[in-house]
Amino acid sequence: MTFDSFLTTDIKFLKGVGPERATALANELNIRTFSDLLNHFPFRYVDRTKFYKIKEINPDMPFVQFKGKIVNAEIVGADKSKRLLAEINDETGNVELIWFKGIKWVAPKLKPNTEFIVFGKPTSFNGKINIAHPEIELASEENILIAKKLQPIYNTGEKLKSRWLDSKGIWKLQRTLVAQINKNIPETLSQEILKKHNLISREDAYKQIHLPDNHEMLKQATLRLKFDELFFLQLRLLQVKGIRKKTYSGFIFDKVGNYFNDFYNNHLPFQLTGAQKRVLKEIRQDMGTGKQMNRLLQGDVGSGKTIVALMSILIALDNGFQTCIMAPTEILANQHFKNLSKLLEKTNISVELLTGSTKQSERNSIHEKLQNGELKILVGTHALIEDEVQFFNLGLAVIDEQHKFGVAQRSKLWKKGISVPHVLVMTATPIPRTLAMTLYGDLDISVIDELPPGRTPIKTVHRYYAKHPQVFQFIKEQIQKGQQVYVVYPIIEESKHMDYKNLEEGFELIKKNFPEFKLGMVHGRMKPKLKDEQMKLFAAGETKILVATTVIEVGVDVPNATLMVIESAERFGLSQLHQLRGRVGRGAEESFCILMTDYKISSDARTRMETMVRTTDGFEIAETDLRLRGPGDMTGTQQSGILDFKIADISKDAQLLQYTRGIAEELLKTDPEISSSENVPILFELNRIKKAKPYWGRIS
Ligand code: ADP
Ligand code: MG
């Protein structure tokens, strides 16, 4: 039998399956072939490697296994108090077994003077050790061998269970199959990698994952299978990245000239942080080499990404190219425009803004100045990617808040230039490194992991609704000190109606409590113009309290706002809470965030509150978020299917991910086409994966 025909054999041909169980396996577990079954991994193991002597057993032990002979078995009581009692002993003592249910199945099995294997939870009753509803099996040689294993536990389904395919039944199938894999599983790694990294063969890994000889072998098998998943993913992503780098050569920005130097020497309003300098250097190197830059710039809210973007832009200008910044919302685009204009105020560099609300006459003039190359920096929203927007020579595109833009939109930007521009993607939603490496595995990553000096960390507390009076008092004090306050309400699609009602009621309540202050309100149902007006009033300090939904999540910058109260905080995700909190703490004054919830919240919600109170580090928060929600819920990962790991767990296997990436990089360095005879197994597996998961290459 060849590899392929073994692994792709229809599951119904496995001994013990047949057509009916095969249908149930397909329907409930998506298992159709031998390969599918082998890749249905246990989710945990029960350690039954040890047989105890009866005298060693005490009621504090969780589960025990021992061998013994039935001395006596009888059914006592009647009706509801009917039970089966059996006394079993070995040479060191005896134990009582007891059944209240299933008596008519068990009783006939309990032959006297026959040795059994017993597994169950010991308890103490009337000074005697006793085990209720133990698992019990004849102590045949075969059963002893099996019993002494680490026993895998599998997911299964209701229909399967009714066809005797509970976890134990699945295990039995696995054992039947494992007994048949005699050199039928192809090796997917090279001998060199196997040796160098001390990995067991893929075939052994499958055998050991389902039927481990011992703890050590189980560890080896798990490692090997995770290794494969992560290694091939990284290899694929790096390959895509390599192909793109080869296909698109980038503009070479090798000059640092007047624009940059003048700004750096005369107009930079502060000293760059170490992290900003480092990141800027990475960007400069990227753009200077002739490669096309595709870089993800991660940095927490307030870490100072704007200045890095601007200085990258100045390098592009020094090399004679145009640039643009694209933001996901009009508010954000406005903010960028305002910031850049201010920073560049004393230079002769012009910046223009293009959004949906730009007037036609202005639009025309912008189009013209873009096409003749006069305009060097264009800031805008999606309006930038409309067809009539044509650049003279777009050299660098900065994209803010990447996840709000689709892949298609990004590639549309590429088509604007004479060649593909350098791309710098900025995100303030920290993505754990592991996830970033996977999701954006074909992008290079820079991280600003240091805040500008002089910031006082935001103080965060969690309060129950009963504390509303005190919270209102605190709001009052802040405003009397001259500060401003956000009060945030959740609005989610599923309960929109109720949520809006709560928002309105909240607004009324605050109005009643603070008749002396001017209030504002913003939410998603408002006309953009009205929303803008409200934002402006708040930014100008005219309104003191802004009642809002998450529309204020990104980019709004009002340094005078020092307090954020988040109502029903348990209904927000961690990343969202973090993002919201970033709206305060932007000025010199100490800032506060109060998370309001009911007394009764889920334990996950409590962890979220505790995390927010404990730390302001976006990356730590993102790691916790990943752990709580799992990768499936993280931004953009659902559609890509890229995180459908069978055995690896991105939130736990970060180190292995990093390690396999290194090995994949090394491989591509020494054998870029993966064409050496040594690496044939790798090429084979890679091609198989490409066929099975073609979308991998298209995620960014
Ligand atoms: P974000 O990364 O959230 O976009 P910004 O670029 O808006 O952050 O910067 C936040 C604030 O910090 C801005 O007011 C900016 O002027 C200021 N800032 C940025 N870098 C520094 C620095 N190195 N030293 C002092 N202030 C800085
Ligand atoms: Mg910003």
Side-chain angles (χ1 to χ4, degrees):
M1 219 187 264
T2 66
F3 290 153
D4 255 13
S5 65
F6 176 77
L7 285 173
T8 57
T9 306
D10 193 320
I11 196 69
K12 75 177 175 220
F13 297 119
L14 183 69
K15 189 173 160 249
V17 180
E20 211 179 301
R21 284 172 154 192
T23 308
L25 281 167
N27 289 343
E28 287 191 321
L29 297 177
N30 221 356
I31 293 173
R32 298 184 160 79
T33 62
F34 282 10
S35 168
D36 292 341
L37 182 63
L38 284 174
N39 283 294
H40 185 61
F41 298 122
F43 63 91
R44 68 184 176 89
Y45 295 81
V46 178
D47 187 348
R48 289 180 60 169
T49 48
K50 187 169 161 61
F51 282 107
Y52 287 87
K53 290 293 171 204
I54 287 180
K55 76 160 190 268
E56 294 175 301
I57 299 173
N58 72 61
D60 297 329
M61 296 171 141
F63 283 89
V64 293
Q65 172 167 268
F66 62 92
K67 283 179 288 188
K69 284 184 180 161
I70 300 285
V71 182
N72 177 40
E74 57 181 339
I75 296 170
V76 299
D79 299 329
K80 282 210 169 134
S81 67
K82 186 168 158 180
R83 59 204 187 275
L84 169 64
L85 293 176
E87 195 172 315
I88 187 162
N89 69 7
D90 66 6
E91 66 282 7
T92 69
N94 65 52
V95 164
E96 189 170 75
L97 308 179
I98 180 163
W99 285 265
F100 303 97
K101 280 187 277 179
I103 293 173
K104 73 173 174 202
W105 307 108
V106 183
K109 267 173 69 175
L110 302 181
K111 301 214 178 67
N113 269 323
T114 314
E115 198 174 33
F116 286 93
I117 303 164
V118 181
F119 177 77
K121 164 82 188 100
T123 50
S124 166
F125 184 70
N126 277 344
K128 216 174 140 81
I129 300 278
N130 138 340
I131 301 178
H133 290 157
E135 283 181 36
I136 182 160
E137 260 173 326
L138 270 183
S140 65
E141 219 168 295
E142 196 197 336
N143 283 348
I144 289 174
L145 266 178
I146 298 290
K148 262 168 74 174
K149 294 281 180 189
L150 277 161
Q151 301 200 353
I153 309 294
Y154 296 91
N155 275 322
T156 178
E158 286 314 310
K159 291 232 173 65
L160 286 165
K161 278 188 199 155
S162 71
R163 286 176 173 72
W164 303 103
L165 286 178
D166 55 2
S167 173
K168 276 194 169 274
I170 303 265
W171 190 35
K172 186 139 192 240
L173 295 184
Q174 298 283 17
R175 294 204 305 269
T176 309
L177 185 53
V178 163
Q180 292 178 35
I181 34 178
N182 181 16
K183 309 226 161 57
N184 274 314
I185 308 270
E187 184 46 69
T188 50
L189 296 175
S190 65
Q191 287 308 311
E192 191 191 326
I193 290 181
L194 288 176
K195 270 198 213 99
K196 190 161 165 197
H197 303 282
N198 262 324
L199 297 163
I200 62 171
S201 75
R202 193 164 162 94
E203 176 151 321
D204 283 342
Y206 275 117
K207 289 181 181 166
Q208 293 293 329
I209 201 83
H210 295 297
L211 197 59
D213 284 337
N214 51 46
H215 286 280
E216 178 53 27
M217 285 314 292
L218 174 59
K219 220 170 98 192
Q220 296 281 342
T222 310
L223 174 70
R224 172 61 213 266
L225 293 166
K226 286 182 173 185
F227 186 101
D228 274 28
E229 270 190 321
L230 298 171
F231 172 75
F232 282 101
L233 170 62
Q234 292 304 327
L235 192 59
R236 178 93 186 92
L237 290 169
L238 288 169
Q239 233 189 5
V240 171
K241 181 167 149 183
I243 291 167
R244 197 176 52 207
K245 288 225 157 119
K246 241 187 294 166
T247 317
Y248 309 114
S249 56
F251 302 118
I252 301 180
F253 294 174
D254 54 0
K255 280 197 289 272
V256 172
N258 274 341
Y259 286 121
F260 186 95
N261 287 330
D262 175 50
F263 182 81
Y264 191 83
N265 295 325
N266 306 320
H267 308 296
L268 192 61
F270 36 68
Q271 282 240 313
L272 295 181
T273 62
Q276 284 170 322
K277 280 187 195 160
R278 188 190 66 235
V279 163
L280 198 58
K281 203 164 141 197
E282 288 166 355
I283 294 171
R284 248 169 76 176
Q285 267 167 5
D286 253 16
M287 298 193 303
T289 54
K291 283 188 293 190
Q292 182 245 338
M293 175 172 76
N294 261 293
R295 192 167 275 280
L296 180 69
L297 174 58
Q298 291 200 55
D300 224 331
V301 199
S303 62
K305 294 183 291 296
T306 314
I307 200 79
V308 171
L310 173 60
M311 297 186 72
S312 311
I313 285 174
L314 294 177
I315 294 174
L317 263 51
D318 274 334
N319 287 274
F321 284 91
Q322 292 175 304
T323 60
C324 70
I325 299 189
M326 184 159 82
T329 66
E330 210 161 317
I331 296 184
L332 256 178
N334 268 309
Q335 204 123 44
H336 276 305
F337 175 68
K338 224 176 65 193
N339 286 343
L340 290 197
S341 304
K342 181 130 195 294
L343 285 164
L344 295 173
E345 188 170 59
K346 301 220 173 74
T347 71
N348 59 357
I349 305 166
S350 66
V351 186
E352 296 275 4
L353 176 69
L354 183 70
T355 68
S357 38
T358 306
K359 286 199 197 73
Q360 192 57 49
S361 56
E362 269 175 70
R363 219 171 255 267
N364 292 342
S365 123
I366 288 175
H367 288 168
E368 200 184 306
K369 284 191 284 183
L370 264 189
Q371 274 178 38
N372 66 25
E374 191 184 322
L375 177 58
K376 299 293 185 197
I377 308 176
L378 180 61
V379 179
T381 53
H382 295 74
L384 291 194
I385 53 178
E386 278 161 20
D387 288 335
E388 66 270 23
V389 181
Q390 291 298 332
F391 289 81
F392 171 68
N393 65 353
L394 179 62
L396 167 67
V398 178
I399 303 177
D400 200 2
E401 291 299 334
Q402 118 100 15
H403 63 271
K404 303 235 160 72
F405 291 106
V407 177
Q409 286 168 319
R410 256 210 281 164
S411 64
K412 239 177 154 175
L413 247 184
W414 288 14
K415 295 193 190 108
K416 298 236 160 260
I418 38 180
S419 176
V420 182
H422 295 296
V423 177
L424 181 67
V425 176
M426 302 196 291
T427 174
T429 314
I431 306 164
R433 244 201 111 65
T434 47
L435 194 59
M437 271 170 62
T438 313
L439 274 183
Y440 307 107
D442 65 331
L443 299 189
D444 296 303
I445 299 173
S446 290
V447 179
I448 305 186
D449 49 7
E450 178 188 354
L451 291 182
R455 301 263 171 89
T456 338
I458 302 163
K459 219 176 242 161
T460 303
V461 293
H462 175 203
R463 292 284 178 267
Y464 300 124
Y465 294 140
K467 287 274 162 71
H468 256 133
Q470 285 91 329
V471 171
F472 281 166
Q473 181 56 33
F474 191 63
I475 292 179
K476 192 176 235 160
E477 284 163 20
Q478 287 293 306
I479 298 174
Q480 279 164 349
K481 270 174 56 189
Q483 311 300 143
Q484 290 163 278
V485 178
Y486 293 104
V487 180
V488 183
Y489 281 84
I491 304 253
I492 57 169
E493 198 52 40
E494 295 84 73
S495 52
K496 213 158 64 181
H497 195 68
M498 267 308 287
D499 289 348
Y500 270 107
K501 207 170 139 238
N502 288 341
L503 175 74
E504 297 287 342
E505 283 171 8
F507 183 78
E508 290 306 319
L509 183 72
I510 289 164
K511 205 158 121 187
K512 216 174 77 197
N513 274 274
F514 301 99
E516 69 273 42
F517 302 134
K518 246 181 108 176
L519 312 185
M521 174 151 75
V522 286
H523 56 74
R525 274 188 190 168
M526 276 172 153
K527 291 224 171 71
K529 205 172 148 232
L530 200 60
K531 204 157 67 183
D532 241 37
E533 244 165 55
Q534 288 286 313
M535 286 307 312
K536 276 187 191 135
L537 283 174
F538 189 67
E542 303 235 344
T543 45
K544 300 297 176 193
I545 303 176
L546 187 66
V547 178
T549 62
T550 51
V551 295
I552 60 158
E553 193 179 45
V554 279
V556 182
D557 194 5
V558 182
N560 196 46
T562 51
L563 169 60
M564 172 170 286
V565 178
I566 304 180
E567 296 286 346
S568 304
E570 78 280 4
R571 296 181 55 202
F572 294 93
L574 255 183
S575 303
Q576 215 172 14
L577 288 171
H578 177 64
Q579 205 70 31
L580 280 168
R581 182 170 59 181
R583 297 305 110 210
V584 294
R586 301 178 82 81
E589 297 300 317
E590 184 175 25
S591 288
F592 306 88
C593 176
I594 305 179
L595 307 166
M596 304 293 301
T597 75
D598 199 349
Y599 182 71
K600 260 175 70 178
I601 50 176
S602 72
S603 78
D604 270 10
R606 202 162 289 277
T607 306
R608 290 201 292 275
M609 299 308 123
E610 283 162 7
T611 306
M612 287 297 293
V613 169
R614 186 183 69 242
T615 181
T616 51
D617 177 341
F619 284 92
E620 190 182 335
I621 288 172
E623 296 279 356
T624 309
D625 201 23
L626 177 63
R627 214 180 56 235
L628 286 179
R629 297 199 293 166
D633 280 338
M634 301 287 290
T635 315
T637 59
Q638 274 133 324
Q639 308 91 309
S640 71
I642 196 158
L643 296 176
D644 286 348
F645 293 129
K646 285 229 159 20
I647 187 161
D649 176 346
I650 197 126
S651 50
K652 296 191 191 116
D653 297 323
Q655 266 187 326
L656 188 60
L657 180 69
Q658 188 95 35
Y659 186 69
T660 55
R661 184 173 173 95
I663 297 167
E665 273 167 357
E666 207 178 289
L667 174 76
L668 287 175
K669 219 183 277 161
T670 51
D671 184 9
E673 308 292 330
I674 318 183
S675 56
S676 76
S677 58
E678 161 82 16
N679 291 328
V680 165
I682 298 178
L683 186 65
F684 247 78
E685 177 66 2
L686 198 60
N687 286 336
R688 190 190 65 77
I689 293 172
K690 270 189 215 169
K691 244 189 265 163
K693 299 187 167 186
Y695 45 78
W696 269 14
R698 278 190 261 122
I699 49 169
S700 68

